[in-house]
Amino acid sequence: MQPNKSKFGWFRNNISLYLMLLIPVAYILIFHYYPMYGAQIAFRDYRISRGILNSEWVGMKHFVKFFTRNYKVWRIIGNTLGINLYQLAAGFPLPIVFALLLNYLPGKNWRKVVQTVTYAPYFISVVVIAGMLLQFCSTKNGLFNNIIAALGGTRTDIIGNPKNFWSLYVWSGIWQSLGYGSVIYFSALQSVDPQLHEAAIMDGATLVKRIWHIDLPAILPTVIILLIMRCGQIVNVGYEKTLLLQNDLNLSASEVISTYTYKVGLGGSTNQFSYATAIGLMTSVVNFVLLVAVNAFSKRVSETSLF
């Protein structure tokens, strides 16, 4: 049989698989690629009445405006990077540590209970999380202030203090995602050959040495891949929780790129669609460059990479 006929026969025999593939491909094309057509409004003075193509082309005007005409730009960028780096330093290692501890937790049933309890907060809505934080930090009857008052301290406006905002945002996120984030590491640990641990125990290796020389090398490729993906989001801070916790008192610490973009694009009296799109496009490009750079560095150093 000729190669072309063989390939055509294989395609004909598996046509149902190709038909199933049309659904995700169509979804990606319609909802991920087609909207990119509208990204050109970042380079235009977009007016709804004129449409995209008939709006005036202004080039890099809106990008320059963000850096030169916005006196808050460096504070906004600083808050965005600060929260992300704080989140990366505090939140990235904890799921790894938790997965290692969970892996050695005695009792299979007890382990399942701990997994369920820590995994459950992930399903709580961001709105509910923000509402809980506002209640806990309430000056009059909040849990935190009640504890402070019981210990002889003075009630303070915790949520309104800019110094507290980063910690409240980061640690509430860690509490919510710790169990979920540890699942992939715990799954990777299950693939470790038990004979390696048995041999190490026979050689007199302690638990710490077994974790360091067996478990960590086994999950290291997974850790590197997730770290690369996390670095690709270093300029993004979810605006939902930030916006819900934001007020006039903590604005100096809580205003980030995503909330600023939302306000100038949709939240103000004069919607600046082109300006907001330019900021969003800029952050996407920066994230992409960081992702490629970190991936290339990882590939050179550890031979583990996304692509």
Side-chain angles (χ1 to χ4, degrees):
M1 184 178 290
Q2 296 180 359
N4 290 338
K5 291 184 178 180
S6 176
K7 291 180 181 180
F8 179 76
W10 188 91
F11 174 80
R12 184 177 57 189
N13 293 333
N14 296 275
I15 192 169
S16 59
L17 297 177
Y18 285 99
L19 291 175
M20 291 177 62
L21 188 64
L22 287 177
I23 298 174
V25 169
Y27 171 82
I28 293 173
L29 291 175
I30 295 172
F31 294 103
H32 291 273
Y33 280 90
Y34 178 70
M36 293 173 65
Y37 167 79
Q40 63 177 294
I41 69 174
F43 305 95
R44 298 178 180 272
D45 267 336
Y46 175 67
R47 297 292 182 270
I48 296 178
S49 58
R50 297 179 184 175
I52 295 177
L53 295 179
N54 292 325
S55 295
E56 181 185 358
W57 182 272
V58 294
M60 303 295 290
K61 170 186 172 181
H62 301 295
F63 297 91
V64 174
K65 176 183 177 181
F66 178 66
F67 287 102
T68 59
R69 300 183 185 179
N70 182 5
Y71 68 94
K72 300 182 293 184
V73 60
W74 298 116
R75 187 182 71 189
I76 294 171
I77 294 175
N79 289 338
T80 304
L81 293 176
I83 291 175
N84 265 311
L85 293 175
Y86 187 175
Q87 206 164 24
L88 184 64
F92 189 80
L94 285 180
I96 302 173
V97 175
F98 182 73
L100 290 169
L101 294 174
L102 194 63
N103 189 50
Y104 289 96
L105 191 67
K108 189 174 181 180
N109 293 332
W110 177 240
R111 186 185 301 167
K112 288 182 178 180
V113 171
V114 174
Q115 279 184 300
T116 303
V117 171
T118 55
Y119 193 78
Y122 180 77
F123 297 99
I124 301 177
S125 167
V126 174
V127 177
V128 175
I129 293 292
M132 292 169 60
L133 280 174
L134 292 174
Q135 289 293 327
F136 291 159
C137 297
S138 174
T139 307
K140 294 182 178 179
N141 55 5
L143 175 64
F144 297 153
N145 270 304
N146 286 342
I147 294 174
I148 293 173
L151 295 175
T154 304
R155 294 178 179 272
T156 59
D157 186 2
I158 298 174
I159 203 74
N161 189 341
K163 296 180 180 179
N164 299 330
F165 185 84
W166 288 12
S167 295
L168 288 172
Y169 182 93
V170 170
W171 288 104
S172 63
I174 291 174
W175 169 77
Q176 185 179 13
S177 61
L178 178 64
Y180 177 81
S182 67
V183 169
I184 190 168
Y185 300 115
F186 185 74
S187 300
L189 287 169
Q190 303 312 300
S191 64
V192 177
D193 190 349
Q195 293 182 358
L196 294 175
H197 285 284
E198 293 173 3
I201 293 172
M202 292 296 292
D203 290 338
T206 62
L207 178 61
V208 175
K209 288 184 177 180
R210 285 160 52 200
I211 292 174
W212 184 259
H213 294 287
I214 298 175
D215 292 328
L216 284 179
I219 66 173
L220 187 60
T222 303
V223 173
I224 293 174
I225 292 297
L226 293 178
L227 181 60
I228 293 172
M229 295 175 66
R230 183 65 186 84
C231 289
Q233 297 292 323
I234 204 70
V235 191
N236 281 347
V237 175
Y239 78 94
E240 297 95 340
K241 187 166 71 170
T242 309
L243 202 62
L244 290 167
L245 297 176
Q246 196 175 82
N247 57 45
D248 291 337
L249 297 176
N250 63 28
L251 196 61
S252 61
S254 63
E255 188 76 296
V256 293
I257 293 176
S258 56
T259 57
Y260 179 75
T261 304
Y262 168 77
K263 290 175 182 177
V264 299
L266 298 173
S269 56
T270 57
N271 297 330
Q272 304 177 58
F273 298 116
S274 295
Y275 182 44
T277 304
I279 300 172
L281 182 61
M282 179 195 64
T283 56
S284 297
V285 170
V286 172
N287 281 329
F288 176 75
V289 171
L290 286 173
L291 178 66
V292 173
V294 174
N295 183 77
F297 177 78
S298 174
K299 191 174 184 179
R300 176 175 295 183
V301 174
S302 65
E303 298 183 355
T304 301
S305 62
L306 282 173
F307 47 86

